[in-house]
Amino acid sequence: MFGVFGHPEAANLVYLGLYALQHRGQESAGICSSDEKQLHLEKSVGLVADIFNEKRLKKLPGYMAIGHNRYSTAGGSNPKNVQPILANFSMGQLAIAHNGNLINAFELRKSLEKEGAIFQSTSDSEVFIHLIAHTREEDLKDRIIMALREIAGSYSLIILTEKKLIAVRDPFGVRPLSIGKVDGAYTVSSETCAFDLIGAEYVRDVEPGEMVVIDANGLTSYPKCIVAPRRAFCVFEYIYFARPDSRIFGGHSVNSVRKQLGKQLAIEEPVDADLVIPVPDSGVPAALGYSEQSGIPFDFGLIRNHYIGRTFIEPKQSIRHFGVKIKLNPVRDLLQGKRVIVVDDSIVRGTTSKKIVKMLREGGNVREVHMKISSPPTKGPCFYGIDTPTRQELIASSHNVEEIRRYITADSLAYLSIEGLFKAIPDPDNFCKACFNNEYPIVFPGQESQLEMMF
Ligand code: AMP
């Protein structure tokens, strides 16, 4: 998500911001602007670069705009779920962009429908709109707060009305959300890498439970609008999701943390080898850290093709099965006869690692493959906005490390320990570790099995 308030090029800046945030969602994108009289919305299924052109951006006038890249963790990839969602209600127009996952959206939707609400999409995010429209407070800020008090789950939100931009982060602080300034205008972003692209300065994060209202009077903060018993920042943002050039959760460098994860992994899991190679791109910083700590040389033994769209059509049997080869290819001259340490950030189903090991042996002709994972075994699905498969599909939920090693056919396999992970991460007590320890911080008692059916 990205937003700008108070800039003559607001929509163009949001477009650039979305470009920098494309890694957070590749399914669809949208921008909504306000010219102070009405909101203008342009959105489609696809990538930012394919959706927007000069002509389309010209349809987004005004000094304020918000944008969203979607990848669906709830509600599926229905074109109606493309965000921002725009609605007209008694107080005027309102557009909303949501990053996160609501865990009580289904119940809320049912009760809202009983009261007569007509939903246009299957997205959990539409619940916000109906809740805001249904509350009776006089002030929009209070309406939003009342609505959010009904909601459980993770949400970083950017809301646009004709004259205001409002940003909110859930009280657990699951997803990141930062405030920046550019040419005297305010900007809000899921990640700071988007500030760098538009030349904005990172000011601070929107705090968990805080609402920030930006209008002609400037920025007004309403701290602790919603409260929670604890923080639950998503540890997977550091491990995999956020871009390494971003600063998240209090301005900490994702790259430094990822490198530190690799160093810690080298301390915990040393092995005699000739070369450290990353699974690009997500394994690169951790592999560098592993190499630095162990003294074993680093190189790019796997080359990634960056031009694989989501629409790659796998040819039928008559040609051959490409699998992961279309994305990655080993550098044989570098790998031949070597004992290789391969560093990746995580194993989910295990299929990528299995294919990589095979590829390194067959195409790279390596002597040994030692797979090192810069996070602990992923045992639990995420209910809060990371797209993980069901528990049954998570290989580590039902197999121990030795069984996974056998499945991926590596000579050795090692994961970072949970203790090691939190040695490398600043403010460790503030994090959700549910994907590793199955302790879900935002849940209604007894609801776990219901959530597993939903996500
Ligand atoms: P798998 O083949 O299912 O074990 O997937 C493992 C690979 O997926 C690793 O290389 C990770 O970098 C990557 N990965 C981890 N989490 C996700 C996610 N939520 N979405 C897409 N890719 C992921």
Side-chain angles (χ1 to χ4, degrees):
M1 301 183 308
F2 197 76
V4 171
F5 185 98
H7 199 288
E9 301 259 8
N12 288 342
L13 290 177
V14 169
Y15 162 73
L16 291 169
L18 291 183
Y19 228 108
L21 296 171
Q22 187 75 82
H23 62 289
R24 294 187 73 86
Q26 299 92 40
E27 204 172 279
S28 63
I31 301 177
C32 183
S33 75
S34 169
D35 58 13
E36 294 189 66
K37 292 183 206 77
Q38 73 177 99
L39 301 193
H40 304 263
L41 177 65
E42 292 292 324
K43 58 179 184 175
S44 295
V45 170
L47 297 172
V48 177
D50 301 327
I51 297 169
F52 293 102
N53 52 30
E54 227 171 292
K55 201 169 142 208
R56 215 156 176 196
L57 287 169
K58 278 211 176 104
K59 293 185 188 164
L60 295 163
Y63 278 62
M64 56 191 109
I66 64 171
H68 185 270
N69 289 330
R70 176 173 165 85
Y71 97 130
S72 57
T73 50
S77 51
N78 184 337
K80 286 193 174 147
N81 294 342
V82 180
Q83 295 193 33
I85 303 173
L86 174 63
N88 296 300
F89 72 123
S90 58
M91 292 175 108
Q93 286 189 299
L94 179 143
I96 194 161
H98 167 216
N99 176 207
N101 239 4
L102 306 185
I103 60 169
N104 64 340
F106 183 72
E107 289 80 4
L108 287 172
R109 187 182 173 120
K110 280 218 142 160
S111 78
L112 284 159
E113 280 175 338
K114 242 188 199 165
E115 288 168 32
I118 297 169
F119 279 75
Q120 291 176 20
S121 73
T122 54
S123 153
D124 59 344
S125 312
E126 198 185 338
V127 168
F128 287 110
I129 299 259
H130 290 280
L131 285 174
I132 293 166
H134 273 69
T135 51
R136 308 212 185 289
E137 312 308 305
E138 302 247 307
D139 192 64
L140 178 63
K141 166 180 78 66
D142 297 325
R143 280 192 173 215
I144 297 171
I145 294 170
M146 289 307 280
L148 295 180
R149 287 195 178 144
E150 307 257 332
I151 277 167
S154 66
Y155 52 86
S156 281
L157 295 175
I158 308 182
I159 296 170
L160 188 70
T161 67
E162 290 92 335
K163 297 201 165 150
K164 286 179 203 290
L165 187 152
I166 299 170
V168 198
R169 194 159 157 224
D170 74 65
F172 291 88
V174 181
R175 299 283 145 229
L177 188 60
S178 302
I179 304 169
K181 281 207 99 171
V182 57
D183 304 335
Y186 280 103
T187 168
V188 187
S189 179
S190 288
E191 280 182 46
T192 61
C193 63
F195 293 155
D196 299 342
L197 180 64
I198 64 160
E201 168 204 356
Y202 166 51
V203 177
R204 67 173 178 92
D205 289 350
V206 176
E207 293 299 322
E210 181 189 16
M211 177 186 292
V212 163
V213 179
I214 306 168
D215 58 18
N217 302 319
L219 182 149
T220 314
S221 160
Y222 300 93
K224 298 189 184 125
C225 283
I226 336 273
V227 290
R230 56 162 290 181
R231 301 279 186 255
F233 303 158
C234 172
V235 70
F236 227 69
E237 293 275 353
Y238 273 133
I239 292 167
Y240 167 81
F241 205 45
R243 248 171 63 163
D245 50 336
S246 285
R247 290 153 71 191
I248 56 170
F249 300 139
H252 300 287
S253 154
V254 174
N255 183 63
S256 303
V257 168
R258 260 178 218 171
K259 238 175 147 178
Q260 197 54 39
L261 296 176
K263 286 189 178 187
Q264 183 63 31
L265 186 58
I267 294 168
E268 290 182 8
E269 300 289 351
V271 66
D272 246 353
D274 306 309
L275 189 65
V276 176
I277 66 166
V279 176
D281 291 322
S282 53
V284 173
L288 279 165
Y290 194 102
S291 166
E292 258 179 42
Q293 182 66 37
S294 63
I296 302 170
F298 169 97
D299 216 323
F300 286 99
L302 288 165
I303 301 302
R304 179 170 173 182
N305 183 334
H306 287 268
Y307 306 97
I308 312 296
R310 289 172 72 88
T311 49
F312 173 71
I313 301 155
E314 183 92 10
K316 293 273 161 355
Q317 304 88 321
S318 56
I319 307 184
R320 61 178 300 156
H321 182 72
F322 286 94
V324 79
K325 267 192 198 154
I326 193 72
K327 201 163 150 195
L328 295 171
N329 195 35
V331 185
R332 197 183 178 108
D333 289 352
L334 194 67
L335 300 168
Q336 183 120 344
K338 299 241 170 81
R339 298 167 302 165
V340 175
I341 294 173
V342 188
V343 181
D344 202 356
D345 63 281
S346 56
I347 294 181
V348 182
R349 295 178 177 86
T351 44
T352 307
S353 302
K354 190 181 171 80
K355 286 173 184 165
I356 285 171
V357 173
K358 189 165 182 272
M359 174 187 284
L360 288 170
R361 288 198 204 282
E362 289 175 4
N365 204 19
V366 298
R367 183 142 61 97
E368 290 171 13
V369 189
H370 301 280
M371 186 66 81
K372 304 282 183 196
I373 305 299
S374 62
S375 66
T378 310
K379 294 184 171 172
C382 181
F383 304 145
Y384 314 128
I386 296 287
D387 187 18
T388 37
T390 60
R391 185 176 300 278
Q392 291 72 23
E393 289 169 280
L394 289 170
I395 190 165
S397 75
S398 52
H399 295 79
N400 64 30
V401 177
E402 172 54 19
E403 287 166 340
I404 301 171
R405 184 202 66 75
R406 257 185 274 142
Y407 175 72
I408 67 171
T409 73
D411 293 287
S412 77
L413 166 67
Y415 288 87
L416 184 63
S417 67
I418 295 191
E419 299 72 41
L421 170 71
F422 286 100
K423 253 190 208 164
I425 284 181
D427 314 319
D429 295 339
N430 284 343
F431 280 81
C432 170
K433 318 173 173 105
C435 50
F436 305 128
N437 68 5
N438 280 310
E439 285 169 22
Y440 290 90
I442 318 172
V443 75
F444 300 120
Q447 201 198 23
E448 292 90 338
S449 55
Q450 198 185 328
L451 286 174
E452 299 218 358
M453 277 166 22
M454 283 165 61
F455 294 109

